Amino acid sequence: MLTDTDKEFLSLTATVTAGYQLFFFLIAAVFQFDKLTDFAGSTNFVIIALLTLVKKGSWHLRQVVLTAMIVIWSTRLALYLFFRILRWGEDKRYDRMRHNVGNLAVFFIFQGLWVWTVTLPVTVVNASDKDPSIQAEDIIGWIMWFVGTIVEILADKDKFSFKNSPESKGKWCEIGLWKYSRHPNYFGDILLTWGYFVASLPIIEGAEWLVLIGPVFLTLLLLFVSGLTILEKSGDKKFGNVEAYRVYKKRTSPLIPLPRSIYGNLPYWFKAVFLFEFPIYNRYLNRNR
C-alpha cells in the first residue's frame, strides 16, 4: 500500500500541476499566445521536484541527486524551447490549437499528465523515509539519465543549427546524431525518463511501483501520439515522392541511434519487433507511392 506521505505528496503534486497548467492554458486561450506553452510544461518539473524535496526536508543523497537530475534537465529544456520559439516566431505544432479551445485544452491536459507521471519517481523517493545505501540501480539510473540528457542536448543543437541554415530549406535533417536516428531527441528523452525510474528502484515497494507509469506513459506518448507519429506523417507528406528521402527512411533508425550500414541491412520484421519501425510510420509514405 501507499504510505500516507506518498498519498499526500501525490495529491499535492497533482493539484499543483493541474493549477499550473490551467493558469497557462487560460493565458494561451484568452490571448492566443503560445510562446509560453512549452515553457509551462518544462518549468512545472522544476516546481514539483523542488517542492517535494523541500517539503520532506530529509535531504538524503538519493533525493538530492534525483531532484537535481529533474531540475537540470527541465531547466535546460525550458530555456532551449523558449529561445527556440522566440527565434522562430511560431511553432507549427500549435497551428490547429491556436484557434480551437478544445484542442488546446486537450494539449494542456496531456502536458499535465506528462509532467505528473514523469515526476512520479522523484515524488515517491522524496516522500520516503527510507535511505538505503547507494546501490547498482542508482548508478545505472544516473548513467541512463546522463547519456539521455547528452543525446537530447546534441540532437537539439544539431536540429537548431540545421533549421537556421539557409541551405536546409526543402530538406530533412540528417546531420550529427540525425544521421543515425530519425528522432534522436526523443530517444534521449525516453532514455533519461527510464533513468529516473531505475534510480528509484532501491526505494519503491508494493503500490509505489505505480511510478512505472511515468516512463511507460512518456514512451507511448512519443511513439504513438505526439512525437514520432506526427513528425513521420509530416515528413512523408513533404518528401514522400523524393527517392532520396525513401532511401533515408529505409536506412535510418526511427529511434535508437544505429549506423546506417547496420540498420539498412536488417530485415523489416527485426526492425519492427526490436527497433520500433512500426507500420504507422510509413502509412503516408506508402500513399505517396
Side-chain angles (χ1 to χ4, degrees):
M1 292 180 62
L2 294 173
T3 66
D4 290 338
T5 307
D6 285 336
K7 295 175 182 178
E8 178 188 359
F9 274 52
L10 292 172
S11 297
L12 175 63
T13 55
T15 302
V16 169
T17 298
Y20 196 69
Q21 295 305 311
L22 176 61
F23 173 74
F24 282 99
F25 163 72
L26 292 175
I27 292 177
V30 173
F31 298 103
Q32 301 286 299
F33 185 73
D34 56 28
K35 287 185 171 58
L36 294 176
T37 305
D38 284 324
F39 183 82
S42 304
T43 54
N44 202 157
F45 286 97
V46 178
I47 294 172
I48 295 302
L50 292 178
L51 175 64
T52 53
L53 178 68
V54 173
K55 179 173 174 58
K56 184 64 177 180
S58 299
W59 303 97
H60 297 154
L61 177 60
R62 182 179 286 103
Q63 295 172 335
V64 172
V65 171
L66 261 177
T67 299
M69 287 161 58
I70 287 277
V71 171
I72 291 170
W73 165 74
S74 55
T75 300
R76 198 285 310 180
L77 183 63
L79 292 175
Y80 167 72
L81 294 175
F82 188 60
F83 177 76
R84 187 182 70 175
I85 193 66
L86 291 179
R87 178 71 175 79
W88 293 351
E90 66 176 5
D91 192 329
K92 293 183 179 180
R93 292 177 302 163
Y94 304 127
D95 287 347
R96 291 199 309 169
M97 298 183 293
R98 195 171 288 114
H99 305 292
N100 188 312
V101 175
N103 287 343
L104 191 64
V106 170
F107 172 84
F108 273 94
I109 289 171
F110 270 95
Q111 181 159 267
L113 288 172
W114 168 55
V115 172
W116 189 74
T117 57
V118 169
T119 54
L120 283 174
V122 72
T123 298
V124 170
V125 168
N126 284 349
S128 179
D129 292 319
K130 292 174 287 187
D131 187 27
S133 60
I134 299 302
Q135 300 176 21
E137 293 92 334
D138 294 290
I139 305 301
I140 293 171
W142 298 348
I143 292 174
M144 290 172 66
W145 173 84
F146 180 77
V147 173
T149 300
I150 295 300
V151 168
E152 188 177 63
I153 291 173
L154 293 176
D156 286 343
K157 173 183 172 294
D158 292 337
K159 188 64 172 287
F160 190 80
S161 298
F162 173 79
K163 283 283 191 177
N164 284 287
S165 172
E167 299 176 356
S168 69
K169 189 174 182 179
K171 298 180 180 178
W172 54 93
C173 183
E174 48 180 332
I175 64 172
L177 286 176
W178 300 80
K179 292 179 182 177
Y180 309 103
S181 168
R182 305 202 297 267
H183 306 281
N185 54 334
Y186 290 150
F187 170 75
D189 203 6
I190 290 172
L191 181 62
L192 68 88
T193 301
W194 279 97
Y196 297 138
F197 166 72
V198 173
S200 72
L201 289 177
I203 294 295
I204 63 174
E205 60 182 9
E208 291 175 340
W209 274 85
L210 66 83
V211 303
L212 182 59
I213 295 172
V216 171
F217 177 79
L218 176 80
T219 302
L220 295 178
L221 186 70
L222 292 181
L223 288 179
F224 302 113
V225 182
S226 69
L228 275 71
T229 305
I230 292 176
L231 293 178
E232 291 288 319
K233 174 183 175 181
S234 175
D236 290 354
K237 284 186 174 182
K238 289 180 183 178
F239 309 113
N241 290 319
V242 180
E243 182 60 27
Y245 175 78
R246 292 177 176 277
V247 173
Y248 153 78
K249 287 201 68 172
K250 184 177 180 180
R251 298 180 60 216
T252 310
S253 170
L255 187 66
I256 302 173
L258 288 171
R260 292 178 174 178
S261 58
I262 295 177
Y263 186 81
N265 291 310
L266 294 173
Y268 179 78
W269 69 265
F270 187 91
K271 296 177 182 179
V273 173
F274 298 106
L275 298 174
F276 307 101
E277 188 69 87
F278 301 126
I280 57 172
Y281 301 152
N282 293 301
R283 285 185 302 173
Y284 290 88
L285 188 70
N286 294 331
R287 289 183 187 181
N288 280 343
R289 178 176 297 176

